[in-house]
Each structure stands twice: as C-alpha cells, then as structure tokens.
Amino acid sequence: MSELGKFEIPHHLSITPGNGGLPKLLIETDWSTAEIYLHGAHVTGFQKKGESPLLFMSSKSEFAHGAPIRGGVPLIFPWFGPLEGFPSHGFARLREWTIHETGLLSDGSVRVSLTLPEAENFEVEFIITIGETLSMELAVKNTGGQECSFADCLHTYFQVGDIHTVSITGLEDTGYTDSLTAKTELETGSSIHIDREVDRIYQDTTATVEIHDPSLARTIRIEKSGSRSTVVWNPWIDKSKRMPDFGDEEYLQMLCVESGNIAKNKVFLAPSASSALKVTISSAAL
Ligand code: BG6
C-alpha cells in the first residue's frame, strides 16, 4: 500500500486497505465523497453532502481477488453478459487496475486515472472525476494490427428509496431486447415502472435517462456520450434469492441503469483508433 502513497492528495484523496484488504481510494471534495477500489476500477460509493448515497452497494458483496463486487459501478469490458468458458461481463471488473495519475482540478474536483494491465490488444484507461457530479470515462485504444470489436458498459447500481414508486424517463419510443424472453420490443409508455424482474437492453439510444424517486425526493440524471445502448435491470424477488452476493430484499432499494455499447451496438475499432464511453451522473431535489 505504501508505494501508492505518492498518489494521495492531502485533504482530498487517501488510500487505505478496504474490505478484504483490497486497496481503496477515499475521495472528498466540497460537494461530495466517493470510494474507488483498484479491484475492477470499481466505484463503490458516491454521495453528495447532505444527500443519501447515489450508488447502491449490496451488503452481501464479496471483496476478493477473482470475484466481482456487487453494487456501485462494475466496469463491463470487453464482452457483456455470459460467454461460455469465461467470466460473465468480461475480465475488466476482475482485474487489479493500476493508478496512472491523480489530481486536484482548478474547480476543486478530484480526477483519478486508472489503467488496465495486460489488456491484450487494447490500451484501456478509466478516468473518474468527482465533484458536484460523478463523471466516468472508459477510453479504449486498439493497439493490435487488426480491426477489433468489443462491448463495454458502466453497469451502474443506483440507490432508490422504494422501487415501487420509482419512474424512469428518457427511453420512450426506443426499441429494446428483453433479455428474459429474447424478444425485441418497443417502449411505448411515457415512463417505465418496475413491478417485476426487468432485464432489457435498449438499443440505438444516446438519450439522457432520469430516475424519479419520490421516496428520496430526488431525480438522478444520467447523461452519456459514446454510448448507444442503455440497460435497465432489477432482479426482483426470485432472482434476488438466487444471487449469493445479493440480499433477498435488496431489489427494493436498487435499480441498474447501465450505459454502454452492447450486441448490435458493440464498438469496432480500426488499428490505432480509440473510443470513449462517458457518463455523467447528477442529482437534484424533486
Ligand atoms: C445485467 C444483466 O446487466 O447484469 C443481467 O442484464 C445480469 O442479466 C446482471 O443478471 C448481473 O450480472 P452479474 O454477472 O453481475 O451477476
């Protein structure tokens, strides 16, 4: 841990052993606090001062080498979902990332840049900026000699007061693949309400999505660029019980709205070309 000390910023960024002894960055700005694990380059917390946490973390999450963290922002790369013989959602969330640089920006935000070691024919950097908002950018460069393709996604778990009263806007008139039926559907309602297991990949959408949460009296806003897919997921009752690293009742206080490029929207990169998936999360009182 001591060799990481050079990345600390007095009063703003410290590095300590977190759960399971895994290195954790603790960040404080005038507006907010945040936590990042090097394991998976995983943002496990972001909280604005005077507000409830914006990100949901499961009380049952593992914190161990080789296991993904349940909650926060799992970083999905270079494939999304199951792949026979390989870990679900890619290897990026299972690796120990390296700190490239940290810094205090002139407006008082803290910027952290992490890189993914041994990323095959990719150069992968994850840049997290913490201030009044949480901004994240996954930058990927093709360092191989041939065109490559991959999926990416910031699999963000949001904390909500009561899933029954939450509504989601921004995905009206958007086509989606229902992962539960494998059918393609069109979102026809003016907002989405969750009252059962929902697992959908909305395609060809660059739209900002908002989560309206009357219980916590706030709206969460998810703005993105370099992303053409949005996933909406809540495991509901039965799947919650099947997941060993997730509490049986925790589906009531969480909702995943994930920004990325999946399936038919996956990214193709020519040799030396780069892509950038950017997501900015903000909140306001209802
Ligand atoms: C979502 C998928 O993105 O991630 C779901 O759409 C999946 O199908 C969920 O269950 C959690 O995946 P994992 O691998 O973290 O358990």
Side-chain angles (χ1 to χ4, degrees):
M1 207 71 65
S2 58
E3 75 280 8
L4 297 177
K6 63 181 182 208
F7 294 108
E8 295 192 323
I9 306 170
H11 312 297
H12 290 289
L13 193 160
S14 57
I15 304 176
T16 63
N19 292 331
L22 300 172
K24 176 170 83 168
L25 280 58
L26 283 172
I27 293 144
E28 171 148 14
T29 70
D30 286 350
W31 308 274
S32 58
T33 54
E35 281 186 13
I36 305 166
Y37 277 78
L38 297 184
H39 179 63
H42 202 121
V43 179
T44 52
F46 175 73
Q47 182 167 15
K48 281 168 64 181
K49 291 186 176 168
E51 254 193 43
S52 300
L54 257 151
L55 301 178
F56 163 88
M57 263 305 301
S58 172
S59 61
K60 304 271 190 232
S61 178
E62 288 198 62
F63 285 88
H65 296 292
I69 294 172
R70 176 74 68 198
V73 190
L75 208 160
I76 309 305
F77 174 85
W79 62 86
F80 180 91
L83 182 65
E84 208 180 328
F86 294 93
S88 163
H89 284 331
F91 52 75
R93 66 175 179 168
L94 300 173
R95 296 264 176 92
E96 311 313 313
W97 289 56
T98 305
I99 304 179
H100 173 54
E101 58 187 16
T102 59
L104 184 62
L105 304 183
S106 56
D107 70 352
S109 301
V110 170
R111 182 181 183 276
V112 174
S113 156
L114 306 176
T115 53
L116 176 62
E118 295 164 41
E120 297 169 5
N121 288 329
F122 298 111
E123 202 173 273
V124 186
E125 183 181 11
F126 191 44
I127 302 155
I128 306 138
T129 308
I130 295 111
E132 190 172 8
T133 63
L134 170 65
S135 282
M136 298 170 284
E137 174 178 348
L138 180 69
V140 179
K141 181 175 181 188
N142 178 4
T143 55
Q146 295 180 343
E147 185 186 58
C148 68
S149 69
F150 57 85
D152 58 7
C153 187
L154 302 186
H155 187 314
T156 311
Y157 287 73
F158 292 100
Q159 168 124 335
V160 297
D162 175 5
I163 192 68
H164 297 106
T165 61
V166 162
S167 60
I168 305 159
T169 55
L171 295 167
E172 305 81 63
D173 299 318
T174 306
Y176 65 87
T177 306
D178 188 329
S179 303
L180 303 174
T181 60
K183 287 192 181 145
T184 303
E185 313 273 1
L186 182 69
E187 188 59 65
T188 49
S190 58
S191 61
I192 302 165
H193 298 263
I194 312 283
D195 58 3
R196 71 197 78 161
E197 182 179 355
V198 169
D199 193 351
R200 300 176 184 166
I201 304 173
Y202 290 83
Q203 298 286 22
D204 300 321
T205 175
T206 57
T208 294
V209 173
E210 288 189 342
I211 301 171
H212 308 278
D213 183 356
S215 309
L216 294 181
R218 74 175 170 198
T219 293
I220 298 173
R221 190 175 166 86
I222 304 140
E223 290 172 85
K224 62 178 191 166
S225 65
S227 158
R228 297 191 54 75
S229 312
T230 297
V231 177
V232 176
W233 179 61
N234 181 291
W236 213 247
I237 300 167
D238 294 341
K239 187 159 179 171
S240 295
K241 290 184 179 157
R242 290 198 301 273
M243 294 195 298
D245 58 346
F246 191 82
D248 289 0
E249 306 271 300
E250 286 184 331
Y251 73 94
L252 292 165
Q253 265 80 49
M254 60 71 72
L255 173 66
C256 284
V257 175
E258 313 167 24
S259 306
N261 298 286
I262 298 163
K264 71 181 232 212
N265 289 145
K266 71 180 177 178
V267 180
F268 288 84
L269 286 183
S272 302
S274 302
S275 69
L277 161 61
K278 293 187 197 172
V279 177
T280 297
I281 296 164
S282 55
S283 65
L286 262 185

